[in-house]
Amino acid sequence: ALSDRDHLLLYGLMNAFLVACAALVCVAANERPSVDLQLPEDDAASPRSSRILSRYTLDVRKHPSFSLLLLTKTLYCAATVVKGFLLYFSKDTFQMAEADA
């Protein structure tokens, strides 16, 4: 039998899993601290908008694997949105009840 507090157990399990995975990532990741990392100097002569936009550019030729990852993630999310839209569109079009779908 389900109780009124089962969702609390689920939230607790999800948070415990999150903490365990985060600890595993912190132990397994071998990264240098970014505190002492020297950032490149900005060109003061360039407009502020171009300096901001330069932070959000991606060199596809320099990072082809990451570009492919972003492309496939975008296509996956687009397919998921289309699938959800088509589900509700077909339910509304054919006037299907919740149990019929």
Side-chain angles (χ1 to χ4, degrees):
L2 296 175
S3 71
D4 292 337
R5 301 198 185 264
D6 283 342
H7 66 283
L8 296 176
L9 176 64
L10 179 63
Y11 291 149
L13 289 173
M14 288 172 33
N15 285 328
F17 184 69
L18 175 69
V19 168
C21 288
L24 179 67
V25 167
C26 288
V27 169
N30 187 14
E31 294 183 354
R32 292 183 301 145
S34 61
V35 174
D36 299 328
L37 186 64
Q38 294 294 327
L39 298 175
E41 293 294 324
D42 284 333
D43 183 15
S46 65
R48 184 177 184 154
S49 60
S50 66
R51 285 185 282 162
I52 292 172
L53 288 176
S54 70
R55 304 292 196 265
Y56 297 98
T57 59
L58 173 66
D59 189 358
V60 178
R61 289 180 181 85
K62 187 175 180 182
H63 307 285
S65 297
F66 185 68
S67 302
L68 182 62
L69 173 73
L70 287 180
L71 176 66
T72 56
K73 183 69 173 172
T74 301
L75 292 176
Y76 173 77
C77 290
T80 304
V81 168
V82 169
K83 181 181 168 185
F85 170 78
L86 289 177
L87 173 69
Y88 289 107
F89 178 77
S90 61
K91 282 175 55 176
D92 289 343
T93 301
F94 298 114
Q95 299 175 350
M96 299 168 63
E98 194 67 34
D100 293 340

